[in-house]
């Protein structure tokens, strides 16, 4: 009798420690949660006997340990405790618990950007659940959601929505519209609409779920901060930067109360705010926010975490916008160094970094280095996107311009014409990208001395430009200047003067009398008048 009482008291003590830990975990206070979980584990290890009931207790604690480490973005520890939990589930011969652990390992892989590995784990877990529980179970429904998230990360949006909708139908029938799990599915569906550029649909889906959650949990609950982050992301994509900042700041306010000022989720908020400030041209504010985010990440995350790499990359982009090319290059290389510890050198995530490093090298006139970086980026893009995609067109265009700067005009034209063909197929004739392509091809013809071909390209570019952005635009003024230069080289000074006068008229309206380009264009007009008089004088008998 006494032995049973002692065992019961022992289990109650462990359960008490576990529940205290879970309370802190639900409040996102993962450090405090881990203290109690570790105390519970120490208590279990102090006993020399094992039993299924003890294994059950250990399993749930190990599983919650994994979740707490995941909440702190400590992926290695999270994975280790998930595998320990799986080992216990194997001893218990509990297929559903094994499936739960496999799901958690998939979650960690997904957060590490290993979408293929995550999808394999989710599908493996799904099969186990389906075999044990059948189609109509909440666990199978959760697997549909997990698989949908992996598809979304891979850009397979139709497949993702199909999975989410299967999960949502079942979750709604069991839990109702105001449950957190239903809200999360709404988040995910809204995310896909946003990625597809369907911003109104995204906002509509999220708003319904947001209102239901607000009534249920109140405005200061952690789940509400997630909604504010989602709204902020959509407004950012729409270019509604003030609205985006309002949402991100509301989210940050909730997180600071819940998590304190040194938590990875706080770093995410600073990062989001920094990106919006950068889009607004507020580069000093952007750097302040991004560096705040980085400092938290460096103290709370593993040194090779992908999120740190992303932040280095975005800080580099701000420096590049400021014209601080050496600082930008240093940041991009830090980002690349981390990414190469995580990915192979042909991973899709590296394409953007190679591209940005190449752009900095181009600004610094290091064209061989720039070509190497852009060629690496193009190789990755071709493997992922095929040879007929707008992103491929942009890469061809960039490489073509590098060849132009290296005076390899035949290579330049080959690349630029490839770019133009793709843009025409995807964008149609009247699109700014098509205008840009015609203009760039015209520049190469002009540099080769093929002035008639150059004027033909400039004329096509101008026609598209007028149809898309109109007469009163800086791009239109640039095209008039390009035409003027070709006419000047042909000694057709009247036509050159006419084009320059059109450029001046646009710039005066846009920038005023003191703008540097206005001054320069007026000087060129004077030079053309001077050359025209010399021709007229030379023609006199």
């Amino acid at each position: 009798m006494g032995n049973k009482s002692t065992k019961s008291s022992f289990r109650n003590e462990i359960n008490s420690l576990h529940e205290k830990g879970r309370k802190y975990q639900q409040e996102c206070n993962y450090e405090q949660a881990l203290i109690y979980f570790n105390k519970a584990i120490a208590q279990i290890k102090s006993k020399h006997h094992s039993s299924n009931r003890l294994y059950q207790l250990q399993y749930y604690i190990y599983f919650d340990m994994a979740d707490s480490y995941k909440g702190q973005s400590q992926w290695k520890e999270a994975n280790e405790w998930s595998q320990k939990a799986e080992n216990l589930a194997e001893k218990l011969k509990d297929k559903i618990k094994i499936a739960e652990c496999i799901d958690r390992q998939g979650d960690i892989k997904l957060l590490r950007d290993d979408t293929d590995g995550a999808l394999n784990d989710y599908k493996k877990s799904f099969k186990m659940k389906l075999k044990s529980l059948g189609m109509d179970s909440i666990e199978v429904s959760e697997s549909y959601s997990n698989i949908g998230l992996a598809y979304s990360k891979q850009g397979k949006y139709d497949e993702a929505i199909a999975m989410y909708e299967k999960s949502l139908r079942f979750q709604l029938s069991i839990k109702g519209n105001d449950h957190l799990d239903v809200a999360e599915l709404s988040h995910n569906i809204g995310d896909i609409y946003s990625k597809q550029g369907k911003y109104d649909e995204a906002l509509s889906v999220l708003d319904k779920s947001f209102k239901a959650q607000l009534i249920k949990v109140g405005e200061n609950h952690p789940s509400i901060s997630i909604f504010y982050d989602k709204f902020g992301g959509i407004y950012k994509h729409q270019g509604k930067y003030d609205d985006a900042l309002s949402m991100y700041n509301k989210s940050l306010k909730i997180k600071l109360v819940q998590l304190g000022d040194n938590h990875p989720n706080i770093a995410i908020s600073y990062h989001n705010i920094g990106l919006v400030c950068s889009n607004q041209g507020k580069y000093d504010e952007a750097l302040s926010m991004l560096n705040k985010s980085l400092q938290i990440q460096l103290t709370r995350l593993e040194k090779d975490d992908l999120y740190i790499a992303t932040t280095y990359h975005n800080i580099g982009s701000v420096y590049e916008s400021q014209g601080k090319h050496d600082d930008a290059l240093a940041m991009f290389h830090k980002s690349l160094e981390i990414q190469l510890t995580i990915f192979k050198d042909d991973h899709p995530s590296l394409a953007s970094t190679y591209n940005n490093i190449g752009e900095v090298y181009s600004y610094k006139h290091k064209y061989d280095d720039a070509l190497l970086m852009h060629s690496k980026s193009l190789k990755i893009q071709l493997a992922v996107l095929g040879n007929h995609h707008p992103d491929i067109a942009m890469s061809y265009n960039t490489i073509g311009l590098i060849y132009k700067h290296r005076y390899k005009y035949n290579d330049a034209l080959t690349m630029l014409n490839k770019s133009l063909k793709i843009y025409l197929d995807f964008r149609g004739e009247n699109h700014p990208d098509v205008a840009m392509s015609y203009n760039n091809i015209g520049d190469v013809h002009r540099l080769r001395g093929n002035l008639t071909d150059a004027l033909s390209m400039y004329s096509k570019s101008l026609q598209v430009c007028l149809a898309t952005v109109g007469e009163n635009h800086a791009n239109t003024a640039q095209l008039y200047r390009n035409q003027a230069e070709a006419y000047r080289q042909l000694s057709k000074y009247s036509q050159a003067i006419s084009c320059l006068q059109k450029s001046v008229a646009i710039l005066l309206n846009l920038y005023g009398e003191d703008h540097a380009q206005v001054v320069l264009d007026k000087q060129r007009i004077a030079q053309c008048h001077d050359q025209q008089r010399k021709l007229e004088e030379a023609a006199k008998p």
Side-chain angles (χ1 to χ4, degrees):
M1 182 76 175
N3 189 39
K4 285 185 179 180
S5 176
T6 302
K7 287 182 180 179
S8 177
S9 176
F10 173 70
R11 286 195 295 269
N12 287 340
E13 186 178 351
I14 294 171
N15 281 326
S16 176
L17 290 168
H18 185 207
E19 286 305 314
K20 287 178 182 177
R22 294 194 74 179
K23 178 178 178 293
Y24 283 113
Q25 185 183 49
Q26 288 163 3
E27 294 170 355
C28 300
N29 188 343
Y30 299 116
E31 287 184 359
Q32 199 65 31
L34 286 167
I35 290 172
Y36 282 99
F37 293 151
N38 275 310
K39 285 181 179 179
I41 291 168
Q43 284 285 81
I44 291 172
K45 288 184 177 179
S46 70
K47 287 290 178 183
H48 299 293
H49 71 275
S50 297
S51 66
N52 276 3
R53 292 187 73 175
L54 207 55
Y55 285 148
Q56 293 271 8
L57 279 171
Q58 280 182 276
Y59 169 82
Y60 289 118
I61 296 166
Y62 286 174
F63 195 83
D64 285 335
M65 291 276 284
D67 272 356
S68 292
Y69 280 117
K70 182 169 77 75
Q72 295 184 112
S73 302
Q74 293 177 256
W75 316 124
K76 182 180 177 183
E77 291 85 351
N79 199 56
E80 285 174 357
W81 285 103
S82 175
Q83 288 177 346
K84 286 181 180 181
E86 186 180 351
N87 291 338
L88 284 171
E90 293 278 4
K91 288 181 180 180
L92 292 165
K93 298 180 180 178
D94 190 324
K95 296 295 185 183
I96 301 307
K97 285 184 171 58
I98 294 170
E100 285 177 339
C101 293
I102 293 169
D103 277 336
R104 191 59 77 249
Q105 289 155 31
D107 294 343
I108 295 164
K109 287 174 184 173
L110 200 64
L111 289 165
R112 298 281 287 169
D113 214 31
D114 179 8
T115 55
D116 289 337
L119 189 59
N120 287 337
D121 282 346
Y122 292 148
K123 287 183 175 180
K124 181 179 177 182
S125 170
F126 170 74
K127 288 178 182 177
M128 294 174 72
K129 294 174 187 176
L130 195 62
K131 187 174 180 180
S132 298
L133 301 171
M135 184 67 72
D136 294 328
S137 69
I138 202 72
E139 290 83 2
V140 169
S141 171
E142 288 166 357
S143 279
Y144 283 132
S145 178
N146 290 336
I147 293 168
L149 186 58
Y151 279 139
S152 177
K153 291 277 189 178
Q154 290 180 330
K156 298 175 180 177
Y157 299 131
D158 291 339
E159 293 94 325
I161 285 179
M163 291 294 110
Y164 286 146
E165 287 178 345
K166 283 184 178 182
S167 180
L168 185 60
R169 281 194 293 271
F170 189 82
Q171 298 270 6
L172 280 170
S173 67
I174 300 297
K175 299 177 179 179
N177 192 55
D178 60 352
H179 194 277
L180 283 174
D181 292 340
V182 173
E184 185 175 353
L185 279 166
S186 297
H187 287 161
N188 294 339
I189 292 171
D191 274 346
I192 292 179
Y193 283 137
S194 180
K195 288 171 182 175
Q196 291 176 317
K198 299 175 180 177
Y199 301 121
D200 291 337
E201 291 95 325
L203 287 170
S204 176
V205 168
L206 288 170
D207 191 53
K208 288 178 184 177
S209 184
F210 171 70
K211 288 174 179 174
Q213 280 299 297
L214 200 59
I215 293 169
K216 184 175 182 181
V217 301
E219 61 184 13
N220 294 316
H221 192 273
S223 67
I224 299 301
S225 71
I226 297 171
F227 278 103
Y228 286 138
D229 282 335
K230 300 294 184 185
F231 288 133
I234 293 170
Y235 288 135
K236 179 167 74 76
H237 286 305
Q238 288 181 307
K240 297 178 180 178
Y241 299 128
D242 289 339
D243 292 334
L245 280 177
S246 175
M247 292 294 109
Y248 285 143
N249 279 309
K250 285 182 178 181
S251 174
L252 176 61
K253 184 178 178 181
I254 295 172
K255 290 179 186 177
L256 284 169
V257 172
Q258 297 290 334
L259 306 173
D261 58 3
N262 192 40
H263 189 277
N265 284 348
I266 301 297
I268 291 171
S269 285
Y270 287 139
H271 190 269
N272 288 338
I273 292 168
L275 292 181
V276 176
C277 289
S278 178
N279 287 335
Q280 290 179 310
K282 299 175 182 177
Y283 299 125
D284 290 339
E285 292 178 41
L287 286 173
S288 174
M289 290 293 109
L290 290 170
N291 278 306
K292 278 186 177 183
S293 178
L294 179 64
Q295 292 311 307
I296 296 171
Q297 293 168 38
L298 290 172
T299 59
R300 299 300 300 271
L301 306 180
E302 296 169 15
K303 65 180 181 179
D304 63 345
D305 192 276
L306 185 61
Y307 196 41
I308 294 175
T310 301
T311 305
Y312 279 135
H313 184 279
N314 289 331
I315 291 172
S317 294
V318 177
Y319 281 135
E320 188 177 5
S321 297
Q322 290 180 310
K324 297 178 180 178
H325 303 308
D326 290 336
D327 292 332
L329 199 59
M331 291 295 110
F332 289 144
H333 276 298
K334 282 186 176 184
S335 177
L336 181 62
E337 185 179 349
I338 294 172
Q339 290 179 71
L340 287 173
T341 67
I342 301 170
F343 308 126
K344 295 180 180 178
D345 62 3
D346 60 350
H347 191 277
S349 296
L350 296 172
S352 176
T353 304
Y354 285 136
N355 184 64
N356 284 351
I357 293 172
E359 286 180 2
V360 177
Y361 281 137
S362 287
Y363 282 122
K364 292 168 70 69
H365 305 296
K366 294 183 177 181
Y367 296 119
D368 289 343
D369 292 331
L371 184 60
L372 176 63
M373 291 295 110
H374 285 299
S375 295
K376 284 186 175 184
S377 178
L378 176 62
K379 183 179 178 182
I380 294 170
Q381 288 177 312
L382 286 168
V384 174
L385 303 171
N387 59 5
H388 201 68
H389 187 279
D391 290 350
I392 301 297
M394 180 55 73
S395 288
Y396 284 143
N397 179 77
T398 301
I399 292 171
L401 294 179
I402 294 172
Y403 281 131
K404 182 189 80 170
H405 289 301
R406 295 176 72 201
Y407 311 109
K408 295 187 175 182
Y409 298 132
N410 287 336
D411 292 333
L413 285 174
T414 298
M415 289 292 138
L416 293 171
N417 278 306
K418 282 185 176 182
S419 177
L420 174 63
K421 185 177 186 304
I422 296 172
Y423 278 140
L424 284 169
D425 288 345
F426 272 88
R427 311 293 199 205
E429 182 70 37
N430 286 327
H431 191 279
D433 289 340
V434 172
M436 173 193 70
S437 289
Y438 284 136
N439 178 69
N440 291 340
I441 293 169
D443 284 344
V444 177
H445 281 308
R446 178 169 57 79
L447 290 167
R448 294 183 74 185
N450 299 335
L451 299 174
T452 303
D453 291 336
L455 283 168
S456 174
M457 290 294 110
Y458 290 147
S459 178
K460 287 182 177 182
S461 182
L462 180 61
Q463 184 178 352
V464 177
C465 214
L466 289 170
T468 53
V469 299
E471 177 75 25
N472 194 39
H473 193 279
N475 289 353
T476 307
Q478 178 65 57
L479 279 163
Y480 283 131
R481 288 197 297 278
N482 291 345
Q483 284 184 322
E485 181 58 22
Y487 282 128
R488 186 195 66 77
Q489 288 179 241
L490 284 167
S491 300
K492 295 184 177 181
Y493 296 112
S494 294
Q495 291 95 321
I497 290 167
S498 175
C499 290
L500 286 168
Q501 287 172 336
K502 290 177 181 178
S503 174
V504 168
I506 295 169
L507 296 175
L508 282 172
N509 189 48
L510 291 175
Y511 307 122
E513 184 75 32
D514 296 329
H515 191 269
Q517 191 61 56
V518 172
V519 174
L520 190 58
D521 282 358
K522 286 184 174 181
Q523 289 173 351
R524 287 173 175 165
I525 289 171
Q527 290 168 358
C528 285
H529 278 303
D530 189 47
Q531 291 295 326
Q532 193 176 36
R533 281 192 291 272
K534 287 180 181 178
L535 278 179
E536 290 170 353
E537 289 172 5
K540 290 179 181 178

